[in-house]
Amino acid sequence: RRTYPMTKENLIEKITIHGLPFFIGKDIKKITAVSPSRWHGCFYAIEFGKNLKIGYTKDISEHLKSIARTNNRYSGTKIGRYLFSEYHTNYKENGRILEKYFHQTGRGSCVKISLEYFIENLPQLSLRNEQDFLEEDSKRRSNLLMNAILSA
């Protein structure tokens, strides 16, 4: 069983799971990841007291900061380490798979598992980049809608 210690010098670290890149850290302020397009996002797991919150977002930095602020205000539970995937276009699909996969042990978006358990039991996922396809599909749908409106 591998542990993932954080030191002051190493607040965010890139790790590989199933051959895919992930980022693990402790200080949310150190996250500088930016989505490369409106189609990209990532999934994450964050220690939330004795629980782990699993989800997905388009902007990991702002989302985790928002979770920390809200948590601080209402429950006072300490936010611990986090893990997030590299940005990809099928992040919602992967996030839903993970929520369903790990929610056999919990309710809502929090589960009673450790970050180590999450990493060790992470199912094989694909991180796709389908930006070109999504942009073309969006243009095609917009054109169909415009044609339908103009021909009505």
Side-chain angles (χ1 to χ4, degrees):
R1 186 170 163 150
R2 182 174 173 199
T3 59
Y4 301 90
M6 293 291 114
T7 64
K8 287 183 181 178
E9 298 80 39
N10 188 19
L11 293 173
I12 189 162
E13 175 186 357
K14 188 173 184 178
I15 64 171
T16 303
I17 306 170
H18 301 304
L20 300 172
F22 290 85
F23 303 91
I24 187 169
K26 183 156 178 68
D27 186 350
I28 291 170
K29 294 177 202 139
K30 295 289 181 186
I31 301 173
T32 58
V34 177
S35 179
S37 79
R38 67 184 181 131
W39 307 107
H40 289 79
C42 62
F43 59 85
Y44 64 88
I46 184 170
E47 291 174 330
F48 202 69
K50 294 182 179 182
N51 297 313
L52 197 68
K53 179 172 175 35
I54 300 169
Y56 57 90
T57 181
K58 290 181 75 62
D59 185 339
I60 190 65
S61 179
E62 283 306 310
H63 190 68
L64 293 187
K65 287 174 188 172
S66 174
I67 290 170
R69 276 191 308 271
T70 302
N71 186 56
N72 228 6
R73 242 181 255 141
Y74 297 107
S75 74
T77 305
K78 285 284 184 196
I79 298 293
R81 297 169 301 157
Y82 57 81
L83 173 89
F84 63 93
S85 68
E86 187 170 74
Y87 277 101
H88 56 291
T89 56
N90 62 322
Y91 68 99
K92 289 180 185 177
E93 174 189 338
N94 284 334
R96 289 184 192 117
I97 289 169
L98 292 174
E99 287 172 346
K100 190 178 276 186
Y101 182 82
F102 285 105
H103 283 229
Q104 300 166 23
T105 58
R107 294 176 51 194
S109 63
C110 285
V111 291
K112 291 188 180 297
I113 61 173
S114 68
L115 187 59
E116 283 78 17
Y117 181 89
F118 178 84
I119 292 169
E120 290 169 8
N121 293 280
L122 190 68
Q124 182 73 48
L125 300 168
S126 67
L127 309 183
R128 295 193 300 268
N129 182 0
E130 299 172 327
Q131 179 179 343
D132 293 341
F133 168 78
L134 293 168
E135 286 176 357
E136 285 301 316
D137 188 53
S138 178
K139 286 178 192 173
R140 184 184 59 77
R141 289 174 190 249
S142 293
N143 288 337
L144 285 172
L145 183 59
M146 284 298 279
N147 289 338
I149 291 169
L150 295 174
S151 64

